[in-house]
Amino acid sequence: MNEVPRSSRKESFADVLIIGGGAAGMMAAIAAAKLGVSVIVVEKNEKTGKKLYITGKGRCNLTNTCPREEFSDHILSNAKFMFSSLYGFSNEDAVSFFEELGVPLKTERGGRVFPVSDHSSDIIRALEQGAREYGVKIRLHSQVKSLIIENSICKGALLTDGTRITADRVIVATGGRSYPSTGSTGDGYGFARSCGMEVVPQAPGLVPFNAEGDICARLQGLSLRNISVEITGRGEGKSLYTGFGEILFTHFGVSGPLILTASSEIAYKEAVNGLTLHIDLKPALDHKELDARILRDFGEMNNKEFANSLDRLFPSKLIPVIIDLSGIDPHKKVNSVTKEERTGLVELTKDLTVELSSLRGYEEAVITRGGVSVKEIDPKTMESKKVTGLYFAGEVLDVDAHTGGYNLQIAWSTGYAAGRHAAIEALKKE
């Protein structure tokens, strides 16, 4: 990977210096090096793509095939900012890019794109291969201490080991705060602040919720599909999120695609104040239709006890919880269940509630909400409006999206824009 020997790390020069060897950083490196400039990537971990390795549960959901005109609908923060970079390097371009690097891809439900192998390591290997082919130099185990800024012009970076790397252009692609064990510890926010740039407060994004009570712990491991949910504010009942899809119960609360999306659409302050999750277990049936369905089941199980009459309606793991919450004697014969009890069962099925207490932390967050304010960034080039020659790309920016490959596409698009434009400007200087 053309790694620079430690013995030569006292002073170096590159046309383009990239801080961070993750998705955005490696894309920026390849985009810049393709234009013929010299590129150095500084990565503080022992390898590149450490966070990419665990993305999509190790499978790497690298983009989404939804139509380009619909893509911005899935960007939750600052979608307009992304118009230019998505046009310059679209989801279709991302698919072609990795296929040209020799990675066979497949598209799954919801337009999610994965490597055929289901191994994120194939994506990382492809990025490393692309960087190697264009002569990119990688400095591993190397952390940036500060940027070198002179007269509002970025001229390089100083590493913690004392090495000084001068450069015509510098790209910050350090990621956010999610999964800090992978090295995402918010370094880029400090670099931005040191230049007088605005940084929007951060919060965990695409993250599970903690829940009160024991319902979730009792249902741990149960996944419910094709259900409707609504999340309301505690007390006043204001609707904050509605969705249809899949949730997963855990020992601490709830997770799954619907919940992760909800976490990024609900304001952090509202989450801290407590929420109520309403689950419609049978969204295809209204109250009257569900009551008729239960009556029919009861009629076919006339002499069965209530506890043994629900296996057609609910997964087996859910039945004991439903029985307890319904208040109906589990040993009661179904032909003795009253209309009032049946009405209560219908209500419970249409509105199973779980009290949510808080969001989980950055250790489990897929992405970070907040970051370097896009007001400070040129959307076409990713260059800072305050410091010439300084660019920002990827999760360090205040841009986030739904789960499903959209966030990695943001990394590819902004990384490509930053790398390409940094190289063009460096070539102008030559």
Side-chain angles (χ1 to χ4, degrees):
M1 175 48 76
N2 300 319
E3 185 182 351
V4 178
R6 292 194 177 195
S7 60
S8 63
R9 291 189 179 185
K10 293 303 176 186
E11 188 157 358
S12 300
F13 170 80
D15 293 315
V16 178
L17 167 64
I18 299 169
I19 306 173
M26 292 299 284
M27 178 59 77
I30 294 170
K34 271 186 174 182
L35 295 181
V37 299
S38 61
V39 178
I40 292 177
V41 174
V42 174
E43 170 55 55
K44 67 180 179 181
N45 285 313
E46 74 283 1
K47 58 185 178 182
T48 63
K50 197 165 184 179
K51 186 176 177 183
L52 262 176
Y53 186 75
I54 61 174
T55 299
K57 298 180 180 178
R59 298 176 62 215
C60 195
N61 180 190
L62 60 98
T63 190
N64 194 287
T65 59
C66 82
R68 187 181 300 188
E69 59 272 17
E70 296 176 14
F71 204 96
S72 61
D73 295 340
H74 295 278
I75 300 177
L76 300 171
S77 302
N78 300 307
K80 289 183 179 179
F81 172 81
M82 288 298 302
F83 284 174
S84 292
S85 60
L86 281 171
Y87 183 81
F89 192 85
S90 68
N91 47 355
E92 295 171 355
D93 294 326
V95 168
S96 298
F97 175 84
F98 284 103
E99 288 181 336
E100 288 170 7
L101 286 175
V103 183
L105 303 177
K106 61 181 177 179
T107 302
E108 297 187 358
R109 178 175 51 88
R112 298 173 301 159
V113 180
F114 295 89
V116 169
S117 66
D118 284 330
H119 293 149
S120 56
S121 56
D122 285 354
I123 299 298
I124 298 168
R125 194 177 301 113
L127 290 169
E128 291 177 341
Q129 174 190 326
R132 185 185 305 115
E133 288 177 357
Y134 290 102
V136 174
K137 293 181 170 60
I138 309 291
R139 290 180 178 267
L140 301 175
H141 300 287
S142 299
Q143 186 168 358
V144 171
K145 179 180 181 181
S146 61
L147 301 176
I148 301 171
I149 309 290
E150 297 176 7
N151 300 318
S152 297
I153 300 173
C154 189
K155 297 190 173 183
L158 182 66
L159 307 190
T160 53
D161 67 359
T163 301
R164 179 185 175 95
I165 303 178
T166 55
D168 287 333
R169 302 278 146 169
V170 176
I171 300 172
V172 176
T174 50
R177 295 186 184 276
S178 59
Y179 296 126
S181 60
T182 65
S184 297
T185 51
D187 298 353
Y189 308 137
F191 300 148
R193 289 192 188 97
S194 71
C195 302
M197 297 175 65
E198 179 186 351
V199 177
V200 176
Q202 299 89 58
L206 299 178
V207 65
F209 282 89
N210 291 311
E212 299 173 1
D214 67 347
I215 291 177
C216 294
R218 292 175 64 185
L219 298 176
Q220 179 181 351
L222 175 63
S223 178
L224 296 177
R225 296 180 179 179
N226 301 318
I227 52 102
S228 291
V229 303
E230 180 181 20
I231 297 179
T232 61
R234 188 79 62 86
E236 81 282 2
K238 176 185 175 184
S239 182
L240 302 173
Y241 172 79
T242 58
F244 177 85
E246 179 182 352
I247 67 170
L248 171 69
F249 292 97
T250 70
H251 66 284
F252 57 76
V254 283
S255 186
L258 273 180
I259 297 301
L260 297 185
T261 298
S263 72
S264 284
E265 293 201 6
I266 294 173
Y268 185 72
K269 182 176 70 173
E270 292 170 322
V272 169
N273 292 334
L275 306 165
T276 301
L277 170 65
H278 303 265
I279 306 172
D280 184 347
L281 297 167
K282 299 293 178 183
L285 303 175
D286 63 24
H287 286 67
K288 187 176 180 179
E289 292 168 334
L290 180 57
D291 186 43
R293 160 74 186 277
I294 293 172
L295 264 177
R296 186 170 65 250
D297 286 353
F298 282 3
E300 294 175 3
M301 308 176 187
N302 209 20
N303 292 315
K304 278 194 174 185
E305 293 182 344
F306 177 63
N308 299 319
S309 68
L310 301 175
D311 55 335
R312 294 182 184 179
L313 270 179
F314 308 112
S316 58
K317 197 164 191 174
L318 182 58
I319 290 174
V321 172
I322 293 293
I323 292 171
D324 288 351
L325 294 175
S326 73
I328 301 173
D329 181 352
H331 302 296
K332 193 173 191 175
K333 299 292 185 182
V334 292
N335 57 10
S336 298
V337 173
T338 67
K339 181 180 180 180
E340 290 73 20
E341 288 175 326
R342 201 176 68 245
T343 298
L345 178 60
V346 169
E347 290 293 340
L348 176 61
T349 304
K350 296 293 288 182
D351 187 17
L352 174 62
T353 61
V354 176
E355 299 301 322
L356 306 178
S357 56
S358 61
L359 293 170
R360 301 289 280 181
Y362 286 112
E363 294 78 10
E364 298 172 59
V366 177
I367 52 97
T368 305
R369 301 176 70 185
V372 176
S373 173
V374 297
K375 297 176 184 177
E376 308 275 16
I377 305 294
D378 183 327
K380 294 181 179 179
T381 66
M382 299 298 137
E383 186 174 12
S384 166
K385 293 178 180 178
K386 288 191 173 179
V387 178
T388 301
L390 178 62
Y391 302 74
F392 291 83
E395 194 181 344
V396 71
L397 293 166
D398 179 25
V399 184
D400 63 275
H402 288 145
T403 183
Y406 302 102
N407 288 287
L408 264 181
Q409 183 60 50
I410 290 171
W412 308 135
S413 295
T414 57
Y416 181 87
R420 179 174 174 79
H421 288 284
I424 289 171
E425 293 303 315
L427 288 170
K428 285 181 182 178
K429 187 172 181 180
E430 289 183 5

